[in-house]
Amino acid sequence: MNDSDALLERIDGLDMRERGLNGAMSLGPPPYVHLDPATFSDDRPQKFTHSLRGHPLMTLPSFVELARRRPKSRVRIYNAASVTAGDRLEGVADKHASERSFEEMVADIEQNKTYLFVQNVETDPIYAPFVRELLEDVKIALRARGRKMVCGWAWVFISAPGAVTPYHRDHEQTCLLQLTGTKTVSVFPTSDREICSEEENEFFHTHASLQKTVFNESMQPRARTFELGSGDALYMPFSAPHWVQNGSVTSASFSVTYATEDTVSLEHTYRMNALLRRAGLRPKPVGDSNTRDAIKQQAWRLVHQARRLLRRDRSTGTARY
């Protein structure tokens, strides 16, 4: 089992690995996601455009029906009136939960400062083929950078005027597609060690937790801010910290995210560093040496395989990760 097999085994998502020689190549410009291969760089945030306006799957009624089909664990709806950039994203839906029904919250989004978040849209049978189309569009730009997509996901965000999405990081690279309304996105550099310290990086990538990902207002001048309106889109690099301020009208946006072979390897390097640190060692920072990082990645693969075999031995024979 290789890295991408392990990733797909433990995370629900679309298998986006290319088959055959180099996968299906584009015969023309991408129909929906206009990420220019000539200007795309996956290590910096950048605006681009999309052509999703008017698509029947990209409307508020369609998103509401999608939310009704999804398991309750995959839908978050809450009152965002008092949510700030400094709040912990983990648990924010529970902290600000409303006693009103889903139907009441959706029917009165603006007055109730409703925030609706639908997770793992790629597992919905109606949306899955369309999500794959969007990710194939993104692949065109990735190929120009020599990147290979492994897995993809999708998310829906509906937010009331003035609503805030707290400061957080994601485990993927993100293309945020603004459909209606406006929003301001502040994106912070992962290379700034005062923002993303080695300790915080290791904890985030090892535990999939935002416990140590903390916003401080003094960090804001270091962010790049992007104003998004209908038809605009924003690429955000792998695990780049960010927070979002909604505009004066209800906003709807659709996000496709993905992992590449490179981001999987990078995450494994941080996990190996965390393991070495727990053993009392002082590992060199990620990025200090490509050769050293490659050795750590191989070491983590061996650790993963050993843990997987151990779990299989302790279970009924089905490996879990």
Side-chain angles (χ1 to χ4, degrees):
M1 174 179 287
N2 60 29
D3 283 356
S4 56
D5 287 329
L7 178 73
L8 290 165
E9 179 182 290
R10 68 185 175 85
I11 300 177
D12 288 334
L14 295 176
D15 183 348
M16 296 302 299
R17 292 172 295 181
E18 295 181 338
R19 310 300 182 182
L21 295 176
N22 291 306
M25 304 302 289
S26 172
L27 299 179
Y32 294 117
V33 180
H34 309 309
L35 197 57
D36 187 357
T39 59
F40 173 67
S41 175
D42 56 3
D43 60 359
R44 61 179 176 83
Q46 65 181 92
K47 280 183 70 172
F48 58 103
T49 61
H50 67 81
S51 300
L52 293 177
R53 290 182 62 186
H55 192 285
L57 291 181
M58 297 288 109
T59 65
L60 182 56
S62 294
F63 291 149
V64 170
E65 288 305 311
L66 168 68
R68 289 195 177 105
R69 289 195 303 272
R70 304 296 292 145
K72 290 184 178 180
S73 63
R74 300 289 86 191
V75 179
R76 297 287 184 267
I77 186 165
Y78 59 93
N79 186 302
S82 59
V83 176
T84 68
D87 280 345
R88 285 272 306 279
L89 185 64
E90 293 168 330
V92 69
D94 294 329
K95 181 180 178 182
H96 298 277
S98 172
E99 295 182 358
R100 305 183 78 209
S101 69
F102 174 85
E103 285 72 18
E104 289 174 323
M105 294 285 281
V106 169
D108 203 14
I109 287 177
E110 295 192 6
Q111 283 69 27
N112 285 281
K113 297 293 183 183
T114 297
Y115 194 109
L116 172 63
F117 172 34
V118 186
Q119 300 172 299
N120 295 113
V121 177
E122 77 286 343
T123 61
D124 180 80
I126 294 176
Y127 276 80
F130 186 65
V131 172
R132 186 176 293 278
E133 283 188 65
L134 300 183
L135 289 168
E136 289 291 346
D137 286 355
V138 176
K139 268 189 179 182
I140 297 171
L142 289 181
R143 289 191 189 99
R145 299 288 297 173
R147 308 298 191 222
K148 294 182 179 180
M149 188 183 293
V150 172
C151 196
W153 303 266
W155 325 86
V156 169
F157 305 93
I158 309 294
S159 49
V164 169
T165 304
Y167 179 82
H168 67 286
R169 305 174 69 179
D170 299 314
H171 289 273
E172 310 89 24
Q173 292 168 280
T174 297
C175 291
L176 179 65
L177 313 168
Q178 187 69 15
L179 301 170
T180 61
T182 62
K183 60 179 53 171
T184 301
V185 186
S186 296
V187 185
F188 297 79
T190 55
S191 58
D192 189 328
R193 287 297 170 257
E194 292 186 18
I195 294 176
C196 297
S197 68
E198 285 300 300
E199 178 188 11
E200 193 263 333
N201 274 325
E202 290 171 16
F203 190 88
F204 172 72
H205 292 294
T206 300
H207 300 286
S209 170
L210 297 169
Q211 182 178 335
K212 296 184 183 295
T213 303
V214 179
F215 178 71
N216 189 308
E217 191 64 42
S218 65
M219 296 160 35
Q220 185 59 34
R222 305 185 189 193
R224 290 188 63 188
T225 58
F226 298 87
E227 304 292 334
L228 303 184
S230 180
D232 289 332
L234 177 64
Y235 165 77
M236 286 184 281
F238 173 64
S239 76
H242 58 282
W243 70 277
V244 183
Q245 172 72 64
N246 198 21
S248 59
V249 299
T250 297
S251 166
S253 56
F254 194 81
S255 179
V256 289
T257 67
Y258 58 90
T260 66
E261 290 182 351
D262 299 273
T263 63
V264 172
S265 294
L266 183 60
E267 195 161 59
H268 288 180
T269 313
Y270 279 116
R271 292 177 183 176
M272 193 64 209
N273 267 9
L275 187 63
L276 293 171
R277 203 176 302 279
R278 288 199 298 272
L281 303 177
R282 298 177 62 184
K284 294 292 185 181
V286 173
D288 187 68
S289 165
N290 290 337
T291 300
R292 188 181 292 114
D293 286 351
I295 293 172
K296 291 175 182 176
Q297 290 157 18
Q298 182 59 35
W300 180 259
R301 294 186 188 102
L302 296 175
V303 169
H304 165 69
Q305 291 171 3
R307 288 177 172 176
R308 184 172 178 272
L309 290 173
L310 184 60
R311 286 171 180 163
R312 172 182 287 166
D313 290 343
R314 290 177 176 176
S315 69
T316 57
T318 302
R320 295 183 303 144
Y321 182 68

